[in-house]
Structures are given as structure tokens and as C-alpha cells.
Amino acid sequence: MQGSIRRLGTVFIVLAVVLVITLSFLQVFGQDDLVGNPANTRRLIEEYGIARGRIVTADGLVVAESVPAEGPFEYRRSYAAGSLLSHVVGYDSPQFGRTGLEEYYNQYLLGRRPARGWALEMTSDLEKGNDITLTIDSELQAVAAEALGPNKGAVIAMDPKTGAVLAMYSWPTFDPNALVSQGLDAEGNLAADAIMRAYAQDPASPLLNRASMGLFTPGSSFKVFTAAAGVDSGIPVSTEYDCPPEYFVGGSSVVNYAGSPNGVMDMDYALTFSVNTYFAQLALAMGAPTLVSYAERFGMNGAPPLDYPAVSPAFIPQPGEMDEVELAWTGAGQGRLLMTPLQLCLAGCAIANGGEIMLPHLMKDVRLGDDILERFDADEWRSPISAETASQVLEMMVHVVEDGTGAGAAVPGVTVAGKTGTAEVAGRQPHAWFIGIAPAENPTLVVAVVVENAGAGGDVAAPIAGEVIGAALE
């Protein structure tokens, strides 16, 4: 009998030890997995019991805040600006998770960052998150939305001196309030489920932020990169090439866009009138390693460090992957190049800011009440070209707007620099691009525009940029 009791006691002791070890392991190593498990409703109840911080634009518009809710959760998010800022702000939903700045600054909005000192922990409200102030100006965002209208595409505006994103709009867009609602339809199902399915199945992709994620062939807007690479690597603006309507290379050819001038011309004239056969010869003269190296100096083949969770890297093939034909077309902006409006805007920032690109950012500061807890400090991200090269390219871009293909971006009383792009798409209308810088004497604004399958950049995208520039500088 005593032997049986000892064996039974031993079994209980072993089980107790296993239980202690398992619980200890979960506490120490498995806590993050448990907290992050989507099936962990306790986490959801805890997080949606916090009055999440507000998201406020630079001009003081509250675009996201927590309001009391009915149902299993204490709070839900409310988005006063609706679809105007939905791609930037994103949504915060118990069913669908978080996107946009709701995702990127989640820990700040929940009040978990920046870390609180012990005094603050003892005295402040742990059920309230921190507010985020954006660099976005809601009025400029509204101008960008109105200028783009019902066209699929994107507009992004930045301050080249600080890297602050002043507007970032993408169309089509979506209603974030519909996705965070806990309302039921007539059949008792969550109405947001059907709305999310409709968005996800829409071929126009309204959930996609085209400004930071949309990858498009840049067309002639890429000639800004080619020109900058050429000048910075020692090929002067005065370099002349004979530019026929069709330039033969490697058994194929590069052709000019209809209406482009022909004959002997320098880089300034070729950029002003966007002559493909000039930039094909310029790319061949500098070689693929140099062109790709400069494109990567501007940030291509890597995602720009925007404080935003959805940013696509622009793409240029490696030198060994291009033959002469592809190199020539790449210099003119076609081939396998892919670019986001954000990347083009950053290239414009380098031209506008003496060759330096500042860190792009959407957050201005983090606040708890009136106290500023954290502030974004402007800093340099890259310096792809010299100040002298930037100055020469900027001067050529002024001629594009004053005398060339970018006349549609002209703003009375303002010297605007720019470059158009008309990216050919097989079987469809081309994508229209424009990159604008203003005022050229002392740039404070860079605007990049893409409009999908809309026609020529000078006809479609340049006027949109002009409206945004005019509104920002008035």
C-alpha cells in the first residue's frame, strides 16, 4: 500500500513540475504569440477598452478618434474625413485588423509608446492612448482629390526641405467607417463583411494606396533620372546627339513620341521636348552600370523609409540583365522599369533640395494632451547627386514647363519646374505622369502625379499638378 502511495505521489510531483515548466515557458517565451493570436479575444477586449489616441492633420482636423461603442467592445474608431484620408490613416477593425497609420503607429495610439516613466505610469490614464499629429494638410489633400477627380491614379506632395508629406491621395478609395462598423444587415450578419468582400473583389482595387504601392512604368518622367545621372557622371548638358525619329540599336530601335522634334540637339532641348532618341543615346553613352547605380542612389530597388506600412520598392533591372536595346529604352523611361509616385516625388526632392533627399515622413509629433512626447526630426536620407547637378537639372525642368511638354502645369506668378511622362501600355491608353517643383528659385514643394490609362502626361497629369501647386503656394 505504501509503495502505491509513493508511486502515485511521484506521478503528481512530475505532473506539477511539467505544469510549472510549461507555464513558465509560456510566460517567458510564448507571451508574444499568445497576445498576437487572432483567436485571443481577451487581447481584443483589452485593446478596444482603451480610448485610442486621435490622429490629427497638420491644420488641426481630427481624422480618427475613438468613440463609445455598443456590443462586445468599449470603443470603436470614427473617421471624420471618410475616404479623403482613408489610404493614409487606414482603419482599425476587430475583424479585419489594422492598416495605414493605424497599423504603423498602433503602439503609440494605444499609449504603449513612447515608454512612460514610473511617475507617469502612476499618475496618467492608462486607458487612454497618445495622439498623432500628421504632416498632411487636409485642405491640400482635398485639392489633390478634386484635381484627380474620378481618375484612377495618385497625387503626392512633399516639402523637399524637410521630407514632410503634405498630401498623399489615391483614387479609387474606400470608406473606413463602413469597415469598422459593428452594425448588422437584415439577415443578422455583420454588414462590414459584405463591404470588405466587395472592396477586395473590385477590379479597380480601392484598398490599394497607389501613391506608395502602385508600380507603373514611368515613361519619360524617368528622363529626370537619366539626365541627372548623365550630368553628375560627367556628361555636360551641352552634349549634342543627332536624334532621328527612329534610332536603331542592337537589331531593334527606339522611336520618338509623335510630334517630338528631330535633328541635332543638346540635353536641355531634348528634355524640354522629351525626345526619346536623345535619352536612348545618353543611356548608351554612360552605360548600364552608371545608370543603374544612379537610379539606386535615388532609392530604386529598395523601399523608401516612409513611416507607413505599405511601401513598394521601385524597380530597375541590374546592368547584367540589360542588352543594348533595353538600356536604350530604359534611358527613355520604358523597358522593365517600375516606379511608385512616392519614388518619383523623392527624386524630385533631390533636384529641388540641392541633391539631398530628406527622410520622408507622415508623423509630425506624438502628444499626450498638450505635452509633446516625441517629434520627428528632419534628417537626410540620401545624397544621390551634387548640388551643381541638381541646379542644372532643375533649370532644364523649368524650360519643360515654360517652353515644352509641361506647359499645362504652369501657375501664374510662380516659376514651376517639371517633367512629363507618357508611359506606353500594351493595348491600352498610356499612363500619364508629371513631376513638378515650385517655386524653382527656392523650392518648397514637389508634386508627383500618375493617372492610369489616361493619355499624355502633358495633357492629363500636368494640369493636376498645376492645381495642387497653385493651391499650396497661394
Side-chain angles (χ1 to χ4, degrees):
M1 177 63 81
Q2 287 182 345
S4 298
I5 292 174
R6 277 198 298 273
R7 285 193 292 275
L8 184 60
T10 301
V11 169
F12 278 120
I13 290 171
V14 170
L15 289 175
V17 169
V18 170
L19 181 62
V20 168
I21 292 174
T22 301
L23 290 175
S24 299
F25 179 84
L26 288 173
Q27 285 288 324
V28 175
F29 300 106
Q31 188 177 33
D32 290 344
D33 290 339
L34 285 173
V35 171
N37 192 321
N40 183 359
T41 56
R42 186 173 177 179
R43 175 187 66 83
L44 292 176
I45 291 171
E46 177 188 342
E47 292 190 350
Y48 288 95
I50 296 173
R52 196 172 170 84
R54 302 178 306 164
I55 300 178
V56 186
T57 62
D59 53 335
L61 180 66
V62 177
V63 293
E65 62 182 336
S66 291
V67 297
E70 296 180 356
F73 305 116
E74 192 170 349
Y75 294 101
R76 68 170 175 81
R77 291 298 258 179
S78 175
Y79 301 98
S83 61
L84 179 65
L85 277 148
S86 58
H87 285 113
V88 175
V89 173
Y91 56 77
D92 174 41
S93 161
Q95 286 77 29
F96 311 123
R98 301 180 176 103
T99 62
L101 295 178
E102 291 276 32
E103 176 187 348
Y104 193 89
Y105 285 109
N106 180 50
Q107 295 300 311
Y108 288 83
L109 293 165
L110 287 172
R112 295 168 179 167
R113 291 186 66 186
R116 302 170 188 248
W118 68 268
L120 201 57
E121 288 282 346
M122 296 295 291
T123 58
S124 64
D125 183 4
L126 298 178
E127 303 289 310
K128 179 175 172 53
N130 298 322
D131 297 338
I132 303 291
T133 307
L134 305 182
T135 57
I136 295 278
D137 182 297
S138 68
E139 292 187 6
L140 190 62
Q141 181 85 356
V143 170
E146 186 174 352
L148 185 61
N151 300 299
K152 284 195 290 184
V155 179
I156 180 167
M158 294 180 62
D159 181 342
K161 298 181 186 298
T162 65
V165 179
L166 307 176
M168 185 165 74
Y169 185 75
S170 176
W171 176 264
T173 184
F174 63 92
D175 179 6
N177 289 302
L179 296 180
V180 301
S181 170
Q182 299 299 301
L184 305 178
D185 60 19
E187 298 175 351
N189 300 315
L190 191 67
D193 284 345
I195 295 170
M196 175 57 91
R197 276 198 301 276
Y199 283 145
Q201 295 170 3
D202 189 336
S205 305
L207 297 175
L208 174 71
N209 184 353
R210 287 167 162 77
S212 67
M213 296 187 71
L215 288 166
F216 308 91
T217 302
S220 295
S221 62
F222 187 78
K223 289 169 183 166
V224 171
F225 291 79
T226 311
V231 173
D232 207 69
S233 63
I235 301 176
V237 173
S238 60
T239 301
E240 293 182 335
Y241 296 117
D242 185 6
C243 300
E246 185 174 9
Y247 177 75
F248 292 92
V249 57
S252 184
S253 65
V254 173
V255 296
N256 283 335
Y257 193 70
S260 294
N262 309 310
V264 177
M265 61 187 72
D266 64 13
M267 195 185 304
D268 189 1
Y269 190 85
L271 192 74
T272 300
F273 295 100
S274 201
V275 180
N276 287 343
T277 52
Y278 184 96
F279 286 91
Q281 294 178 77
L282 179 59
L284 291 168
M286 76 177 81
T290 300
L291 181 62
V292 173
S293 171
Y294 273 96
E296 292 183 341
R297 287 194 201 184
F298 277 100
M300 293 186 70
N301 287 337
L306 182 67
D307 52 342
Y308 185 78
V311 179
S312 299
F315 172 76
I316 183 171
Q318 291 301 302
E321 299 171 348
M322 285 192 280
D323 58 17
E324 279 192 324
V325 179
E326 184 168 10
L327 174 58
W329 270 117
T330 299
Q334 291 286 155
R336 287 183 289 163
L337 288 168
L338 291 172
M339 189 168 295
T340 63
L342 170 63
Q343 178 62 70
L344 185 62
C345 196
L346 290 167
C349 287
I351 305 300
N353 194 43
E356 295 182 351
I357 307 176
M358 306 302 287
L359 275 171
H361 61 102
L362 285 157
M363 184 268 277
K364 181 179 180 183
D365 57 45
V366 180
R367 300 178 182 232
L368 180 60
D370 293 330
D371 297 330
I372 296 178
L373 305 179
E374 200 167 294
R375 191 193 310 270
F376 190 95
D377 295 323
D379 197 6
E380 179 187 314
W381 174 44
R382 288 172 179 269
S383 183
I385 52 176
S386 70
E388 177 60 26
T389 296
S391 175
Q392 293 185 57
V393 176
L394 182 64
E395 184 177 347
M396 289 192 284
M397 292 174 71
V398 169
H399 298 157
V400 172
V401 176
E402 291 186 343
D403 306 314
T405 58
V411 177
V414 179
T415 307
V416 178
K419 182 68 194 83
T420 54
T422 304
E424 296 178 23
V425 181
R428 304 187 68 182
Q429 283 284 306
H431 297 320
W433 283 92
F434 190 79
I435 173 73
I437 301 171
E441 299 85 355
N442 182 23
T444 57
L445 184 71
V446 177
V447 178
V449 177
V450 65
V451 188
E452 293 181 32
N453 307 117
D459 296 335
V460 180
I464 294 171
E467 286 190 46
V468 175
I469 291 169
L473 300 183
E474 69 179 6

